Amino acid sequence: MRLFKGIFSKVDKLLTGRRPVDDELFGELEELLIQADLSIHTATKLVDALREAARKERLNESDDIKERLKSLLVDILAENDGSGLRDPADRPGVYLFVGVNGVGKTTTIAKVAHRFKTRGYRVLLSAADTFRAAAIDQLEIWANRAGVEIIKHQPGADPAAVVFDSINAASARKADVVLVDTAGRLHTKTNLMSELEKIGRIVQKALGRQPDETILVLDATTGQNAVSQAREFMSAVPLTGIALTKMDGTAKGGIIVTIKDELGLPIKIACTGERVEDVEDFNPKEFVTALFEE
Ligand SMILES: Nc1nc2c(ncn2[C@@H]2O[C@H](COP(=O)(O)OP(=O)(O)OP(=O)(O)O)[C@@H](O)[C@H]2O)c(=O)[nH]1
Ligand SMILES: [Mg+2]
């Protein structure tokens, strides 16, 4: 989590040095939180909780407020948390990766494949982004590099059929996990969301249960946009968590708190670069510590 180092350094500066706790301090704090990409809703909620704590517990130095803010942030982020992806409930485990175009779905799958493989799992990639030939090729390159299997159809093929074949192939070959790459947009008039619903139904049919994880991939640098993307996907498919990508970019970090606070979706993994090693399980405590570090 070293990458978010110092993002809250303005907040840190504001609250360090035993400043008196008054309305002016809370006003400035709220403004800085919003600047750091927290939504107005989450920022207001946090500041209100701090005001109340200050009154009830007589916190009269800004440094106390800082400590309380850190623990509130950790509380939000750690609530019903299961950091990292779940292990497969049964064989094969099925993991769907969804998200809009360009957020990093395919790259994240390569990273997750690498991790599962390192743990000794037999991994199969499912090329269900049939939107363009390049998407299938890109996944195949990753599969070859990682030394894992891939099931693909022709470009333009029905994505749900690819998923069905992948699960059957995984069962036949005794693969441990199937990682499904999906499209961020489509050629046909079929709505992306109804396509994803269809994939969900196919998984249920082929596997006899829901996917082990349906991970929404979000680009951390897109700020508040990520929240509206998450709302849209949530209404179509039962998401189990978030993979945040491009945390090495210009992300301001606050969006992570807002996604968890407003949508209740756990942040499971964080991606910090383009190489397969650039992924880690999201750790709320380390994240919050890094935010305030110089
Ligand atoms: N810096 C950085 N770049 C990333 C990260 N994850 C993905 N990328 C880059 O983002 C670009 C898009 O990644 P893809 O994995 O192709 O995204 P996608 O969601 O599969 O895109 P579509 O298939 O077009 O929907 C690529 O150039 C990746 O190298 C990350 O964590 N950090
Ligand atoms: Mg892709």
Side-chain angles (χ1 to χ4, degrees):
M1 293 295 136
R2 59 208 148 17
L3 288 150
F4 276 100
K5 236 177 140 139
I7 278 170
F8 275 28
S9 60
K10 283 187 187 160
V11 175
D12 189 55
K13 212 177 258 162
L14 175 75
L15 298 176
T16 306
R18 312 176 63 178
R19 237 183 95 161
V21 173
D22 52 21
D23 271 349
E24 198 189 328
L25 183 84
F26 285 125
E28 283 178 46
L29 175 61
E30 189 166 344
E31 207 164 289
L32 289 178
L33 291 174
I34 292 167
Q35 278 176 26
D37 249 353
L38 268 82
S39 68
I40 295 173
H41 174 88
T42 306
T44 313
K45 183 176 126 170
L46 278 168
V47 172
D48 286 350
L50 291 170
R51 275 183 207 273
E52 191 172 318
R55 199 179 54 238
K56 280 197 180 145
E57 299 165 43
R58 299 184 204 285
L59 306 178
N60 44 28
E61 285 184 359
S62 57
D63 301 77
D64 302 329
I65 299 291
K66 179 164 80 182
E67 288 320 303
R68 183 57 59 96
L69 172 61
K70 284 185 185 174
S71 70
L72 286 174
L73 289 169
V74 173
D75 286 349
I76 290 178
L77 291 167
E79 199 189 336
N80 18 313
D81 192 46
S83 202
L85 296 178
R86 271 179 221 150
D87 273 336
D90 208 340
R91 297 296 189 265
V94 174
Y95 298 77
L96 302 183
F97 292 82
V98 303
V100 303
N101 159 43
V103 287
K105 295 178 293 298
T106 307
T107 312
T108 302
I109 286 174
K111 292 169 180 173
V112 171
H114 174 74
R115 284 184 123 196
F116 274 129
K117 173 118 198 283
T118 308
R119 291 173 56 195
Y121 285 2
R122 185 161 179 180
V123 180
L124 188 147
L125 305 186
S126 176
D129 178 359
T130 60
F131 173 71
R132 55 195 169 93
I136 303 173
D137 296 342
Q138 187 194 0
L139 194 70
E140 192 157 37
I141 291 167
W142 281 119
N144 291 337
R145 236 186 257 171
V148 302
E149 295 158 75
I150 179 168
I151 293 291
K152 56 173 188 169
H153 287 190
Q154 292 304 309
D158 178 5
V162 180
V163 174
F164 192 75
D165 280 359
S166 302
I167 294 173
N168 288 335
S171 302
R173 300 177 195 179
K174 304 212 175 344
D176 299 298
V177 293
V178 178
L179 309 180
V180 181
D181 190 24
T182 64
R185 62 202 152 139
L186 299 171
H187 275 302
T188 57
K189 289 214 176 63
T190 324
N191 177 286
L192 177 60
M193 299 304 156
S194 51
E195 192 63 65
L196 292 174
E197 284 171 38
K198 187 175 171 194
I199 291 178
R201 286 196 302 277
I202 282 288
V203 173
Q204 178 71 43
K205 191 172 157 198
L207 200 64
R209 58 186 169 86
Q210 291 286 303
D212 292 79
E213 297 264 22
T214 301
I215 298 294
L216 176 66
V217 183
L218 291 175
D219 175 342
T221 64
T222 55
Q224 296 302 317
N225 230 332
V227 182
S228 37
Q229 284 170 27
R231 285 222 164 84
E232 197 179 341
F233 278 88
M234 264 177 110
S235 66
V237 277
L239 300 175
T240 57
I242 304 274
L244 267 179
T245 63
K246 312 191 193 184
M247 289 184 50
D248 52 315
T250 54
K252 295 192 215 142
I255 194 62
I256 295 172
V257 181
T258 285
I259 286 169
K260 184 69 199 292
D261 181 48
E262 293 200 19
L263 308 171
L265 285 170
I267 318 283
K268 298 222 162 180
I269 49 176
C271 297
T272 54
E274 298 185 88
R275 301 167 313 155
V276 281
E277 300 84 19
D278 296 333
V279 59
E280 46 190 291
D281 289 343
F282 183 77
N283 180 322
K285 218 167 189 161
E286 281 178 21
F287 172 72
V288 172
T289 305
L291 285 178
F292 285 84
E293 259 169 15
E294 275 297 336

